[in-house]
Amino acid sequence: MRSQPPYLRVADVLRQRIADQEWTPGDRLPSRLQLAQECGVGENVIRRAQELLISQGVLEGRAGSGTYVAEPRERVRIVRSTCREQVGGSPFVADMAALRKRGTWESRTDAKVPAPEDIAARLGIAEGDLCVRTAYEFLADGRPVQLSTSWEPYELTAGTIVVLPEGGPHAGKGVVDRMAEIGITVSRAVERPEPGQATAEEAHLLGVQRGALVTRIQRTYLSDEGQPVETADIVVPAALCEIVYEVPIQP
């Protein structure tokens, strides 16, 4: 049986010292040199142990200041509902406001990206047809809680004021409102959730451990004529969020 790598052993020691309240949330940990001497290992082992605990949300690194015990992060409530998309504004911002948190997001848009095979199939276009791709990182009080990558057929919005989801006068208004501006009525959304594990990149962006449990949601918006107008891959970490589906009942 293989022995446990030194950095995992040290991570367990640091985690236990926090559990024993030797250090409490907000406390600054001793220097890596001091911890290395206390644990009988090299500073590189301490670094790897701290990086692991940072990815798990146990510790928090502050540039130029050191490493601190992180404040506990409560799970936020993410409501999935097509009805809430119809009233305008951002459902995410509304969810966070209900929790007394500030909901914001960061985004990066690339125009005229050839559609991969799976995205093309979801949008009902040919593989290689141009799309507008936008990557989102959603934040609650400045901390990441959700990722999303959106794809829209370029031909659908090319030459209009809504071609860029996060640019122009209708930036950030959401798919439903933006499409309405060019005469397209979005009447339904189809979502397919499935469990998964965070990739290295996703873990880095979300501040969770690589392989942590996530829910992957494949969402597609369709017009009243059944035309897909946008599809997205959404990643929600189980440790940070609970997902609630709100289903309207027609009398």
Side-chain angles (χ1 to χ4, degrees), residues 222-244:
L222 299 103
S223 73
D224 55 1
E225 297 178 348
Q227 176 188 16
V229 300
E230 186 257 16
T231 193
D233 291 302
I234 302 166
V235 181
V236 182
L240 304 181
C241 303
E242 63 171 350
I243 302 174
V244 177

Side-chain angles (χ1 to χ4, degrees), residues 78-86 91-92 95 122 138 146-149 175-176 186-195 215-222 228 230-236 242-248:
I78 303 292
V79 178
R80 311 295 304 168
S81 172
T82 54
C83 285
R84 301 171 82 245
E85 292 279 3
Q86 303 292 336
F92 177 76
D95 284 343
R122 285 154 58 175
F138 292 92
Q146 178 180 309
L147 304 175
S148 177
T149 302
V175 175
V176 175
V186 177
S187 57
R188 65 191 178 101
V190 177
E191 294 196 345
R192 190 181 74 184
E194 61 180 19
T215 299
R216 299 187 184 280
I217 302 173
Q218 186 184 103
R219 181 199 67 205
T220 302
Y221 281 117
L222 299 103
E230 186 257 16
T231 193
D233 291 302
I234 302 166
V235 181
V236 182
E242 63 171 350
I243 302 174
V244 177
Y245 276 85
E246 187 178 275
V247 181

Side-chain angles (χ1 to χ4, degrees), residues 37-51:
Q37 293 172 342
E38 291 178 7
C39 297
V41 296
E43 289 186 56
N44 188 54
V45 172
I46 299 297
R47 178 186 59 79
R48 292 191 64 189
Q50 289 181 339
E51 287 176 349

